[in-house]
Amino acid sequence: MVILLKRAYEPPGPDDGFRILVDRLWPRGVSKDAARIDWWFKEIAPSTPLRKWFGHDPLKWDEFRERYCQELDQNPAAVGQLVDHLRRGPVTLVYGAKDTEHSHALVLKAYLETLPH
């Protein structure tokens, strides 16, 4: 499985493969044409209450990771859809967060990498 991460504000690249926006909200200031998103998969993003609670606060990072992984555990249908795409070829998880070290996309990528291929 090839899973890449890229901010929505970065230009698409030839090695991106299937581009999946994994945010509940469309990134501000990014046109749909420029983003070249193949699939906007809102259901795989953290829930709105979890996203609002976290607020990209690095002090809440460890607990956020745990809570988001619990949400993923409770959403096997959505995770399964994502795994199906991963089996077909490279996937780029696209996200809008400015903080690349505390993004839910990092948690999602690590979670997916722990699953059996």
Side-chain angles (χ1 to χ4, degrees), residues 28-45:
R28 290 182 187 177
V30 177
S31 74
K32 291 187 179 180
D33 287 339
R36 286 199 11 231
I37 298 299
D38 296 305
W39 183 27
W40 184 6
F41 195 23
K42 299 175 192 178
E43 295 80 12
I44 203 72

Side-chain angles (χ1 to χ4, degrees), residues 6-9 21-23 25-28 30 56 93-100 103-105:
K6 191 173 268 191
R7 288 191 68 228
Y9 304 96
L21 179 61
V22 294
D23 284 345
L25 305 173
W26 189 266
R28 290 182 187 177
V30 177
H56 297 284
L93 304 177
V94 180
Y95 64 98
K98 290 178 186 175
D99 184 347
T100 58
S103 162
H104 73 283

Side-chain angles (χ1 to χ4, degrees), residues 5-91:
L5 296 176
K6 191 173 268 191
R7 288 191 68 228
Y9 304 96
E10 298 175 58
D15 299 327
D16 286 355
F18 195 77
R19 291 172 53 85
I20 303 172
L21 179 61
V22 294
D23 284 345
R24 287 203 184 265
L25 305 173
W26 189 266
R28 290 182 187 177
V30 177
S31 74
K32 291 187 179 180
D33 287 339
R36 286 199 11 231
I37 298 299
D38 296 305
W39 183 27
W40 184 6
F41 195 23
K42 299 175 192 178
E43 295 80 12
I44 203 72
S47 65
T48 298
L50 179 57
R51 179 178 54 82
K52 287 183 176 182
W53 169 82
F54 175 48
H56 297 284
D57 180 349
L59 298 176
K60 296 179 178 178
W61 177 242
D62 291 335
E63 187 173 347
F64 170 77
R65 284 190 324 208
E66 286 180 32
R67 288 186 186 189
Y68 183 36
C69 286
Q70 289 172 356
E71 287 188 354
L72 293 169
D73 286 342
Q74 295 169 3
N75 197 355
V79 171
Q81 286 181 299
L82 198 46
V83 169
D84 285 345
H85 280 284
L86 289 168
R87 289 186 179 130
R88 295 181 201 151
V91 166

